[in-house]
Amino acid sequence: MSSYQKELEKYRDIDEDEILRTLSPEELEQLDCELQEMDPENMLLPAGLRQRDQTKKSPTGPLDREALLQYLEQQALEVKERDDLVPFTGEKKGKPYIQPKREIPVQEQITLEPELEEALAHATDAEMCDIAAILGMYTLMSNKQYYDAICSGEICNTEGISSVVQPDKYKPVPDEPPNPTNIEEILKRVRSNDKELEEVNLNNIQDIPMPMLSELCEAMKTNTYVRSFSLVATRSGDPIANAVADMLRENRSLQSLNIESNFISSTGLMAVLKAVRENATLTELRVDNQRHWPGDAVEMEMATVLEQCPSIVRFGYHFTQQGPRARAAQAMTRNNELRRQQKKR
């Protein structure tokens, strides 16, 4: 036993209650003050609880922020500024730097054979361009001129070296024509369960009333012929996502669903994913490019749905997390393998 432990042994049988009874009121008050002191280095406690209150002054009143700011500003103005050790006079010392002029050496004259000199003197710009391409001087021409000169044995560049600053001419691509789908007619055909209607494509129609989309989803519940349902870029939000989720729970003929490029939040996507678990006919689902990133929880739910729904063989979404991406890729590989085995049977 060390000397320190022996020193502590004499305090083992001390009666604390007896010592407290013998203390005077002044000593008890002093002990109370000492016990109020907390750990001053504990950063988890508020500043007012790290030590006891030692303020003896009475409060002057409630906090007046404007008065406090005015007082601090006045105090700052009254403090005398410190004099500079070296007073500023504005004098410029030293000489300004002047970059010396560097003389460019005269390039050595390159002499060629008389036949080459005569051939280059009478060569056209197109022929000079092909020669530059063969010599590897690709910076003097455009990519098209360079590859045409290398791949062809004939002089095919008629524009010359001066065309290096001219961009390649590309054919203008016309804009995609607007979607000619008549929404009211489609709604009537879906309600009547038209057997000739197998695809509903409402892509890029941004002026569809939301109640009409909800009615279309309601009509899709009992339809048995539509195989593909696409609502890309229709400005659909969570109400439409919930309507699509209700439709998936009852529809038993839909095989492809595309709701990309919309305003669906994580709540709407979660509702659609939960409804996909109750649908056994859906083989393709695309939910990418929403207005906001859905979050980690939704991506984990996507991976879980793909693992639990072997009928889905095509899924459109760009995962941002490595874990859900790996799980989804493995699930899609397994689902496609199961589909291939079913076709063999």
Side-chain angles (χ1 to χ4, degrees):
M1 184 179 295
S2 63
S3 59
Y4 177 73
Q5 292 178 346
K6 292 180 180 180
E7 186 70 19
L8 292 179
E9 284 295 327
K10 62 181 180 180
Y11 300 107
R12 185 182 299 275
D13 299 331
I14 292 179
D15 189 0
E16 294 86 356
D17 296 335
E18 182 65 26
I19 296 177
L20 292 176
R21 283 195 295 268
T22 58
L23 294 178
S24 62
E26 292 79 7
E27 293 174 339
L28 288 174
E29 184 179 357
Q30 183 180 0
L31 178 61
D32 189 22
C33 293
E34 294 294 336
L35 291 176
Q36 289 180 2
E37 185 173 356
M38 298 293 182
D39 186 4
E41 297 181 357
N42 190 357
M43 301 301 293
L44 300 178
L45 290 176
L49 299 179
R50 295 178 192 171
Q51 59 184 1
R52 66 176 185 272
D53 187 11
Q54 302 178 6
T55 305
K56 303 299 182 182
K57 295 173 58 177
S58 58
T60 57
L63 174 64
D64 188 354
R65 185 175 181 274
E66 296 296 332
L68 179 59
L69 292 177
Q70 293 179 3
Y71 173 76
L72 294 177
E73 184 178 358
Q74 184 66 26
Q75 288 291 109
L77 293 175
E78 292 178 357
V79 174
K80 185 180 179 180
E81 295 184 359
R82 186 180 62 180
D83 297 334
D84 295 334
L85 298 178
V86 179
F88 176 73
T89 59
E91 179 184 0
K92 293 184 179 179
K93 297 182 179 181
K95 297 180 180 180
Y97 174 75
I98 300 177
Q99 185 176 2
K101 295 183 179 180
R102 184 172 59 88
E103 296 183 0
I104 301 176
V106 180
Q107 296 182 355
E108 297 180 0
Q109 298 292 334
I110 300 176
T111 58
L112 300 175
E113 296 182 2
E115 294 84 358
L116 294 178
E117 287 283 356
E118 185 179 358
L120 292 176
H122 297 85
T124 62
D125 290 342
E127 292 173 342
M128 293 292 291
C129 183
D130 282 351
I131 294 174
I134 295 173
L135 295 177
M137 301 178 181
Y138 53 86
T139 57
L140 299 179
M141 64 200 71
S142 62
N143 292 337
K144 184 176 182 301
Q145 290 177 327
Y146 178 74
Y147 288 109
D148 287 346
I150 293 299
C151 300
S152 176
E154 301 177 356
I155 298 177
C156 53
N157 293 313
T158 59
E159 300 173 353
I161 297 181
S162 61
S163 65
V164 63
V165 295
Q166 299 179 2
D168 296 334
K169 294 182 179 180
Y170 297 97
K171 295 181 180 180
V173 179
D175 295 336
E176 185 178 352
N179 195 335
T181 304
N182 190 341
I183 305 173
E184 296 180 356
E185 181 181 356
I186 290 294
L187 180 58
K188 292 180 181 179
R189 295 179 64 183
V190 171
R191 284 176 174 173
S192 62
N193 202 11
D194 188 357
K195 62 180 181 180
E196 297 182 357
L197 181 64
E198 295 185 355
E199 180 181 2
V200 176
N201 186 350
L202 304 180
N203 296 347
N204 301 319
I205 305 179
Q206 300 184 0
D207 56 350
I208 307 177
M210 293 298 109
M212 185 171 293
L213 281 178
S214 300
E215 293 177 5
L216 184 60
C217 294
E218 185 69 23
M220 282 289 298
K221 292 181 179 180
T222 56
N223 189 280
T224 57
Y225 292 102
V226 175
R227 298 291 183 266
S228 176
F229 189 42
S230 182
L231 298 176
V232 178
T234 55
R235 304 177 68 89
S236 300
D238 287 347
I240 303 302
N242 293 328
V244 170
D246 295 338
M247 179 266 296
L248 289 175
R249 292 187 179 94
E250 299 186 19
N251 187 282
R252 293 296 178 265
S253 61
L254 189 65
Q255 297 179 358
S256 175
L257 175 63
N258 192 344
I259 54 175
E260 292 181 342
S261 302
N262 284 301
F263 298 158
I264 302 175
S265 66
S266 58
T267 304
L269 288 178
M270 191 68 75
V272 173
L273 293 173
K274 291 181 179 179
V276 170
R277 294 183 177 181
E278 305 177 19
N279 190 297
T281 60
L282 194 67
T283 60
E284 180 180 5
L285 177 63
R286 300 187 180 275
V287 296
D288 199 12
N289 194 28
Q290 301 301 327
R291 187 173 188 179
H292 300 290
W293 178 56
D296 296 339
V298 177
E299 291 192 356
M300 295 296 292
E301 182 68 18
M302 290 178 183
T304 304
V305 168
L306 294 178
E307 291 173 348
Q308 297 179 357
C309 299
S311 62
I312 299 180
V313 294
R314 289 185 294 274
F315 184 71
Y317 179 78
H318 179 72
F319 287 91
T320 59
Q321 301 297 327
Q322 179 64 26
R325 184 191 301 117
R327 290 176 54 192
Q330 185 178 2
M332 294 302 297
T333 303
R334 184 202 61 186
N335 294 349
N336 282 276
E337 181 64 21
L338 292 176
R339 177 60 59 89
R340 187 184 64 82
Q341 294 176 3
Q342 292 176 0
K343 286 183 179 180
K344 280 187 175 181
R345 297 174 185 174

